[in-house]
Amino acid sequence: MDAVLAAHPAVAQGMQTLDCAIMDLADDIAYAVHDLDDFVRAGVLQHAPVAGEFRAWLADDGALAHADAESLSARWRSPGASLELLWRGLAYKDPWIAAREVFAEAVERVSTELAEGLLARPYDGGGMSERAVSAFTNRWIDRLRSSIVVDARPHVRSGHIRLDQRAWHEVAVLKFVHSRFVLDLPELAQNQRGQARVIEDLALAFDAWLCDPHDRTRAPRRLLEWVDEATEATFALASRRPELLSGDRGEEGLRRQGRARAILDYVSSLTDQQALATHASLNGRVPLPTR
């Protein structure tokens, strides 16, 4: 990290490097636009709930704006309430750029182009539907890409390369559609909890395997190599920059940290199918190969 930061001497401490700011911005645009593209094609996003949320917030006569936070949180599923909670979160965390009138304009635009536009006609896989989704995606990517600005003295919660105020609000609203109408779906949440359990089980199973003095050497070769590399790097860091380490810095603690780092890297390197197959195998649900 020191070597990376040395290439950016003008970047203040705690600020993103230019590479990081570009990556963060690209990730935001992909999350805001490309993921919506996928969800429209998959039929996950439905016109009625999305349009109802936007219509309710835009038509509000002040009731939402003046409602107390506890009341809004309790009825977050009511049309308009979640958008109001989004606005309050933006205003609380980023008052340096958040403005209610600009937020309202962003809501209006996304409502017009997505809720009342793209989603008004269900996606059926035909040429007309495909062209409509592609046009929406290309239009928004061009819009956001042309809204990038370079800031010599950015706010601490921003970066030297960022979106302008208008586009920043629009991305927040587009990402809201993703989180509110896709990630909050009960059926998706159930699946995610199952996936989280698989990942947790894998990490714990590999840790138990590597701690088994009689069977450790039969663990996957790549994992064993990574454990050796990570443990060596952890000991080297402890000797050079011990302040960067937390937890037990004794020999056993450092070995545990190196092992944990390698296990997490190994599990995260698996594809979805590899993770599921490995989990099934470790739990004895895969028949042994026959000769």
Side-chain angles (χ1 to χ4, degrees):
M1 185 61 72
D2 288 339
V4 171
L5 293 173
H8 301 272
V11 174
Q13 184 176 4
M15 296 298 298
Q16 291 178 322
T17 62
L18 302 185
D19 312 66
C20 186
I22 292 170
M23 181 186 71
D24 206 22
L25 188 56
D27 191 52
D28 261 355
I29 293 175
Y31 188 89
V33 181
H34 281 296
D35 282 4
L36 286 184
D37 178 307
D38 292 338
F39 295 134
V40 170
R41 285 188 165 91
V44 177
L45 281 177
Q46 299 297 314
H47 171 259
V50 179
E53 180 76 25
F54 283 96
R55 289 171 185 167
W57 192 87
L58 290 168
D60 179 53
D61 59 1
L64 289 171
H66 295 96
D68 62 90
E70 184 176 349
S71 172
L72 277 177
S73 297
R75 55 188 181 94
W76 66 275
R77 290 186 182 277
S78 300
S82 289
L83 259 177
E84 180 62 27
L85 287 170
L86 170 68
W87 158 247
R88 295 189 188 189
L90 296 176
Y92 176 77
K93 292 188 297 183
D94 292 291
W96 64 278
I97 192 172
R100 192 172 180 92
E101 63 275 13
V102 184
F103 177 77
E105 293 171 1
V107 172
E108 181 72 54
R109 176 173 290 276
V110 175
S111 176
T112 299
E113 297 197 19
L114 177 64
E116 307 295 352
L118 183 62
L119 297 181
R121 180 188 294 272
Y123 180 81
D124 59 10
M128 185 176 295
S129 290
E130 189 63 31
R131 286 191 294 274
V133 174
S134 296
F136 173 88
T137 301
N138 293 334
R139 184 167 62 251
W140 272 98
I141 289 177
D142 288 343
R143 178 179 178 82
L144 297 177
R145 188 173 56 186
S146 65
S147 302
I148 295 172
V149 297
V150 178
D151 193 342
R153 295 178 177 80
H155 188 273
V156 68
R157 284 196 37 92
S158 183
H160 290 281
I161 301 172
R162 62 174 178 83
L163 292 171
D164 63 24
Q165 186 184 39
R166 172 187 53 78
W168 183 88
H169 285 82
E170 290 170 347
V171 163
V173 176
L174 287 168
K175 289 169 69 175
F176 162 81
V177 175
H178 181 168
S179 62
R180 172 66 180 85
F181 298 102
V182 178
L183 297 185
D184 285 339
L185 291 174
E187 53 269 33
L188 180 60
Q190 179 173 303
N191 188 49
Q192 288 175 321
R193 289 184 67 85
Q195 292 173 333
R197 183 171 180 177
V198 168
I199 293 172
E200 180 181 359
D201 287 350
L202 286 174
L204 294 176
F206 281 124
D207 187 60
W209 194 351
L210 293 173
C211 290
D212 185 339
H214 305 294
D215 204 35
R216 178 185 185 277
T217 57
R218 294 204 300 158
R221 179 56 50 189
R222 183 174 54 154
L223 175 57
L224 292 174
E225 292 174 352
W226 286 7
V227 169
D228 291 342
E229 293 172 4
T231 302
E232 181 180 348
T234 303
F235 273 90
L237 185 61
S239 65
R240 296 196 317 268
R241 299 286 300 277
E243 71 278 6
L244 296 180
L245 291 171
S246 60
D248 182 4
R249 299 179 191 175
E251 181 175 348
E252 183 54 37
L254 294 177
R255 291 189 182 282
R256 185 166 56 250
Q257 290 193 45
R259 184 173 68 249
R261 178 71 270 162
I263 290 171
L264 294 177
D265 287 345
Y266 182 79
V267 171
S268 67
S269 74
L270 301 174
T271 65
D272 290 355
Q273 290 305 314
Q274 287 173 336
L276 292 172
T278 303
H279 184 265
S281 179
L282 287 170
N283 284 276
R285 294 199 296 270
V286 176
L288 292 174
T290 57
R291 293 184 178 182

